[in-house]
Amino acid sequence: MDQQLTLRLLSPLDGEIVPLDNVPDPVFAQRIAGDGVSVDPTSSVVLAPCAGEIIYAHPAGHAFTLRSAEGAELMIHVGVDTVQLKGEGFSLKVRAGDRVQAGQPLLEFDADLVATKARSLLTQVLAVNMDIVSAVKHPAGRVRAGRDVLLELTLKAATASAKSAGGTVASGELTVANPTGFHARPAAMLAQEAKRFAGTVRLRCGGGVANAKSLVSIMSLNIGFGDKLVLEAEGPGAAEILAALAAVVTRVLDAPGAEAAPAAAPAAPRAARDPRALAGVCASPGIAVGKAFQARQEQVEAAEAKEEPAAARPRLASAIEAAKAELEILLSKLSAEGATEQAAVFGAHRELLEDPELLDLAEGGVAKGAGAVAAWRGAYQEYARNLSRLDNKLLAGRAVDIRDVGARVLRLVAGVSLKQRELPAGCILLADELTPSDIAGLDKAKVAGLCTVGGGASSHVAIFCRAAGLPAIAAAPAAILDIKDGEQLVLDADNGELRLKPEQAELAAAADRQAAGARRREAAVSASGQSARTKDGKHVHVLANVGSAADAKEAARLGAEGVGLCRSEFLFLDRPSAPGEEEQQAAYAAVAGAFPGKEVIIRVLDVGGDKHLPYLQLAKEENPFLGERGIRLLLARPELLRAQLRALLLASRGNPGLKLMFPMVSEVDEFREAKAALNREAQALGIPAPKCGVMIEVPSAALLSAHLAKEADFFSIGTNDLSQYTLAMDRGNPKLAGRAWAGDPSVLKMIDLTVKGARAHNRPVGVCGGAAGDPQLVPLLLGLGVDELSAPPPAVPLIKAAIRELDHGACQALAAQALELGTAAEVRALLAGKVK
C-alpha cells in the first residue's frame, strides 16, 4: 500500500471559492488540465500557495507552475482566455528556476483591464500531475490570501511507470497555426489524450523535448505560432498511438480559436487606463466624433394568454412563413446590390427559421397550451441562452442572430408594429446589443459610429458596419449604457476606445485623424483616373461590380475602367413577372452607355441557391446550392434564357465593349449548350455574337479550365462561391462563414489552375468576387497572374491606389510562397508581411 501525505495549500488570492464545475471553460470544468478549485478574486496580487520551485512561467504572464517539495505540480491560471491578451495587464515577478516561499508575491494583474478584456477573472489553482494525487479537497465560502487553506491534496508515493517495449516511431513535422501558440488548452488536450496510452510519448520542438503526458512539460517548451513540432511514440502499438495523437495535435494547431477575428477585422486594441476611456474591441475601423444616443430596443409587448394547440400552431406557422418572406426580400435586395456578406447573414436567419431544435422547443410550448406568443418567445430566448453559454465565442456570439430572427417572428405572431426612435444627426449609437436587422434599418446618414456591450470583431453586426464604413466598437463595458443622450464622445474604433467628455485637444486630434483618413481617400479618388500600374510597370485593369445604370455611372466617376460584373438580377427582383426583352435591352444598353467603347461584362441571370424569384415557381430542393441554379436553371428554362440573350444581343449594337458571361458553369457541355443558344439568337437577329465568358465558381470549372478556355473568350472568377464550394462551407452558415475565405490555400490553388488553363489558350482572367475588393488579397491575385480586378464602386479608387504601391515581381514571389502553404492561418501570417 502506497504511503500517503497531505499537502495544504494557502489561497493565492482574496476572494470567493468557486468549484471548477462552474468555470466557463471545459478544459478547467472537465478537469482536463488538472483538479483543484477556482477563486473569484477581490485582490490582484497572486501569492505562492506553498514553498517550492517555479518550473514554468508563461510568456503571456497570466499563468505559472510551481513544484512543491513533495513533488506536486501546481498551476495557477489567472482568468479565462487571458492568453489572448498576450501579456497586457499582467506582471509576472518570477521565472522558471526561481525558488519561492509560501506567501511570496509571484504575479500582479490589472483586475479592471483583465475583467474588461477576458471572458472571466476566475483564477484556477490546479494540481496538474494527478498521477501522484489520490484526493483533492477544498472548503467553501471566502478565503484570504496567504492565510486560509484553499486546497488539501492527498499525495501518494510515486509508482513505477510502465515499461515500454517496441520501437520508436515519429510523426511528420507539424506547424503551429494557432495564433496564440500551444497554451494551456491545447497542451491539456494533448496531455489528456497521451495519458490514455501505456507507452512513452514525447513532443519535440526546436532543441527541446517534453513528456507529452505532462501539461507542464509541454508548456515548458514555450511553443509559439509558426513553430515546428514532431511527436514520438515508443511502446506497444506505437504507430496507433502516434496516429491518434497526431490527429489531436493537428486539430488543435489548425484551429486559431473562436476568438480570432477575421483577417479583415483589426486586432484587439490596447485597453486604455484613463478613467474617461472605456475599452472594447474594434469591430469596424475608423474614428468618429458625435453625441451619445442610447439605442434602447423597443420590446414587443403582447398578451401571453393560454391558447389551444389547434389554434396556436397555424398562427405560429403563418408568422414564421411571413418572417421568411421578409427575409427573402432583404436577401434579394442585398444580393442584387452585391452585398454578399450581408446577404449571407439574412440567408442564415432564414435557415434558422427551419432549425429543428428551435421549432421543437416552440412546439413543446404550444403542445402545453402556452399559446403562440408565449411558446415562441420562450423557445427562441431559451435557444439563444443555450448558445450564449457555449465555450466557442464565435458560436456564442450567434445568439444575437437567434434573438434577431426570434423577435421578427414574435412581432408578426403578436401583430405588433414597432416604432423606431428618431435619430439625431451625427450621433454615436450606444447599445447593449444591436442585431443585423437593426443595422440594416439604420439611417446611416445620421450615425457617426456604434458602440455595444455585446458582439465582437467576428459578429454579423461587425460585417454590416464594415460594409457601411461605420466605425464600431464591441465588447465595451456595461458603463456605456449609463452615458446620457447628447454627451460628447470620441469613438476611436481603431484602438477600441470610447472617450468620454473629450477635451478640446482630444477633439482636435480626432478631427485631424478623420481628416487624414479622408485625405487618403480623397487622394485615391483624385488619382482614380490614373491607370493602376505596379511600380515595375505591370498594368492591372480595375473594373466595377454594378447592379444598375446608376451604379455604373458612379463607378465611372470613381475611375473604374469598365464593368467586370453587371448582375442582371437587378431587373428580375421585386416584381410579379420577368421583364420583357425591350425593358432588358434598354437597361443593359444604359449600363454599357456609362462606359462607351470600354469593357462591360453582363452576367446572365443567376438565380437559385440563395437567390429566389417567386414567379419562377422553383421546386423546393433539399440542397439548393447543389441543385438547379445559374446556368442549369437557364438551360432548363429556355424561354427565359432566349429572351435575355436576345435583349443582350440588341443592346450590344452600338456598344462594342459589351460582353456576357454564364454563371455556375460546372461542365464543358453546359457552356457549349449555352453558347450555341447565343449563336442561334445572334444568327436569327443578324447581329454578331459578342464575346462570351465563363464564371469560374466551382472546383470542376477550375479543374477543367484548359478545356473551357478552348470554348470561352475569357474567365471571371467568383471567389465567394469558389471558396464555399472548394471548402464545402456554406458562407451563409453562421458557424462557417468566417472560414470560407478566398485566401485559403485550396482556393488559391483553384485560382492558379484557372489562370494556367486560361494561359494555355491566351485567355484573360478577371476576379469579380469579394477578393478583388480586399487590399489584403490583391497582391496574391496579381502574383497568381490575374489580369483584371472588379470591385464595388467605392473600393475602386483604393484598389487602384493599392496596386500602384505594389511590385509585381514581389507579388509573384508571394503567391509562389502561398501556394506551398497548407493552412489559411499560414497564409494570413504570410500576408502580414505586406509586399510593397
Side-chain angles (χ1 to χ4, degrees), residues 61-83:
H62 69 298
F64 62 85
T65 303
L66 167 69
R67 182 187 290 126
S68 75
E70 297 80 5
E73 294 178 357
L74 312 167
M75 181 171 73
I76 298 181
H77 190 290
V78 179
V80 175
D81 281 350
T82 42
V83 68

Side-chain angles (χ1 to χ4, degrees), residues 191-208:
Q192 182 190 42
E193 189 70 17
K195 288 173 184 175
R196 295 173 53 192
F197 303 102
T200 300
V201 187
R202 292 180 291 270
L203 182 64
R204 295 187 181 275
C205 181

Side-chain angles (χ1 to χ4, degrees), residues 250-262:
T250 301
R251 185 173 72 248
V252 171
L253 296 185
D254 286 345
E259 309 80 23

Side-chain angles (χ1 to χ4, degrees), residues 698-719:
V698 297
S700 62
L703 293 167
L704 295 171
S705 58
H707 298 279
L708 284 168
K710 294 178 185 178
E711 315 279 341
D713 295 307
F714 62 90
F715 289 154
S716 186
I717 302 174
T719 52

Side-chain angles (χ1 to χ4, degrees), residues 595-674:
F595 290 95
K598 294 184 179 180
E599 181 179 36
V600 172
I601 300 174
I602 297 178
R603 180 180 68 193
V604 297
L605 182 63
D606 182 17
V607 293
D610 60 347
K611 289 171 281 188
H612 304 272
L613 300 179
Y615 53 83
L616 290 184
Q617 297 180 334
L618 300 177
K620 184 173 178 61
E621 297 179 280
E622 184 175 347
N623 192 337
F625 283 95
L626 299 180
E628 198 174 60
R629 63 169 299 197
I631 195 169
R632 296 174 190 169
L633 175 65
L634 293 172
L635 294 176
R637 304 289 182 103
E639 73 289 348
L640 190 67
L641 175 61
R642 183 171 182 267
Q644 186 169 29
L645 293 179
R646 287 173 61 86
L648 285 164
L649 285 162
L650 292 169
S652 71
R653 294 187 302 187
N655 292 300
L658 188 147
K659 304 176 183 179
L660 62 90
M661 63 180 173
F662 292 99
M664 296 304 301
V665 173
S666 60
E667 300 171 336
V668 175
D669 284 343
E670 285 177 334
F671 181 67
R672 286 175 177 165
E673 189 177 347

